[in-house]
Amino acid sequence: MTRVAGIDCGTNSIRLLVADCDPTTGGFVELDRRMTIVRLGQGVDKTGRLAPEALERTFAACREYAAVIKELGAERVRFVATSASRDAENREDFVRGVLNILGVEPEVITGDQEAEFSFTGATKELTGRTDLDRPFLVVDIGGGSTEFVVGSEHVEAARSVDVGCVRMTERHLVADGVVSDPPSAAQVAAIRADIEAALDLAAETVPLGRASTLVGLAGSVTTVAAVALGLAEYDSSAIHHSRIPYEQVREITERMLTSTHAEREAIPVMHPGRVDVIGAGALVLLAIMERVGAAEVVVSEHDILDGIAWSVA
């Protein structure tokens, strides 16, 4: 077993996984998994730059993660940065800060690489399942982008498109620094139009209709699942591999888009950092399910972060 650390830095959150991995046998022992909302992508869609306060929030999380990695004695570390840092003009400030704190340079990966990691992390445990038809369509709904990957044992087609819960919220639901509470029908329609255009782009590369099982990843999907399951508190073991029907996703999406900030904040499983962006994130999931005709979504807590860890091992 090799002790490895994988870090996934996205538009909305940064996450750490430390695990013992054996690529030969597939053995996997999770030692530490944590997530911090840092909103690295704050304002990047409008300014094209990473905000100083967003960088400092991210660096603070990196310092915490560096202490965990040292304490657990990980032999190898890989830091992967996704959509927000890919788009930013001042991404070198981000790269230098991470290198100084963690001693490794963040790899600003392409959308296609992001999709490969997501697929590996999400499907490694599903390959032996006989109750799930193949091929899989894995969708990773992030803060700034969404990855679509079709495959059975390996990736057959992948595409990243620029719709995510933070990007859609900032583009359509924020006026004078304030999030609409709740959004108007016209604002929701504008988000939906962007999502449908992104789905058209994804379909040029990925045969969305050919997949038999939809697998959903990341915080928007897991939060919808937690609400659907009626959990009193967030429980990864209950959410992992849960199967949420389309009708429940539709009902929860409508609820998120018609409720106030206070009503969403009062939901027991709602992370504070997702209160204002969950409506847009749930709408991305709903639109995908409607486009591909999925009767349900299989929810995975294992995603790009697990794929990163396996790549290190």
Side-chain angles (χ1 to χ4, degrees):
M1 300 282 271
T2 302
R3 183 157 296 182
V4 300
I7 298 172
D8 166 37
C9 185
T11 303
N12 196 44
S13 63
I14 183 170
R15 300 181 300 148
L16 168 71
L17 172 63
V18 181
D20 289 333
C21 302
D22 186 341
T24 304
T25 65
F28 185 89
V29 179
E30 181 179 312
L31 302 173
D32 195 295
R33 185 188 296 260
R34 60 184 66 194
M35 182 269 287
T36 309
I37 299 287
V38 294
R39 201 67 67 87
L40 178 61
Q42 172 193 332
V44 76
D45 196 44
K46 288 185 177 180
T47 68
R49 296 179 64 82
L50 299 169
E53 60 270 30
L55 283 169
E56 183 46 47
R57 289 193 298 267
T58 304
F59 294 155
C62 287
R63 286 188 281 271
E64 174 194 331
Y65 292 179
V68 174
I69 291 168
K70 182 178 180 180
E71 179 185 349
L72 293 177
E75 300 170 42
R76 303 176 188 170
V77 181
R78 188 171 193 178
F79 188 115
V80 166
T82 53
S83 180
S85 55
R86 210 167 43 225
D87 301 338
E89 294 173 6
N90 61 333
R91 64 183 182 185
E92 285 306 312
D93 295 340
F94 167 72
V95 171
R96 282 194 300 270
V98 171
L99 183 59
N100 288 339
I101 295 166
L102 285 160
V104 294
E105 186 168 324
E107 300 174 54
V108 183
I109 62 174
T110 66
D112 286 344
Q113 289 173 306
E114 193 173 338
E116 291 272 359
F117 285 140
S118 294
F119 185 82
T120 301
T123 63
K124 199 164 186 71
E125 296 173 291
L126 300 178
T127 52
R129 293 273 294 264
T130 58
D131 59 328
L132 298 175
D133 293 331
R134 289 155 181 74
F136 300 115
L137 170 60
V138 175
V139 293
D140 186 343
I141 303 172
S145 63
T146 295
E147 282 63 55
F148 295 81
V149 195
V150 163
S152 295
E153 302 299 327
H154 304 285
V155 173
E156 296 168 16
R159 182 72 179 264
S160 177
V161 295
D162 286 336
V163 290
C165 60
V166 174
R167 193 185 295 270
M168 292 297 96
T169 298
E170 291 194 344
R171 183 178 294 173
H172 297 292
L173 303 185
V174 177
D176 299 322
V178 179
V179 180
S180 298
D181 189 27
S184 67
Q187 288 174 314
V188 174
I191 295 175
R192 184 68 185 241
D194 275 4
I195 296 169
E196 293 297 339
L199 285 168
D200 291 340
L201 281 176
E204 293 176 1
T205 307
V206 179
L208 301 177
R210 195 169 70 80
S212 299
T213 298
L214 176 66
V215 182
L217 318 183
S220 292
V221 178
T222 58
T223 300
V224 168
V227 174
L229 294 169
L231 300 179
E233 59 183 17
Y234 196 92
D235 182 350
S236 293
S237 61
I239 293 166
H240 189 47
H241 291 170
S242 60
R243 300 166 75 160
I244 310 302
Y246 163 78
E247 193 59 33
Q248 273 194 292
V249 173
R250 186 186 63 78
E251 291 171 0
I252 291 166
T253 301
E254 290 180 0
R255 176 183 170 190
M256 296 301 107
L257 290 171
T258 56
S259 58
T260 65
H261 177 98
E263 289 168 339
R264 295 190 301 275
E265 189 176 42
I267 298 171
V269 294
M270 187 68 66
H271 190 286
R274 296 209 182 274
V275 176
D276 288 331
V277 300
I278 185 59
L283 187 56
V284 174
L285 174 60
L286 179 68
I288 292 169
M289 294 184 76
E290 291 177 348
R291 175 67 69 99
V292 304
E296 65 177 13
V297 57
V298 178
V299 181
S300 178
E301 285 275 13
H302 292 182
D303 50 27
I304 185 173
L305 189 57
D306 300 76
I308 294 166
W310 278 111
S311 75
V312 182

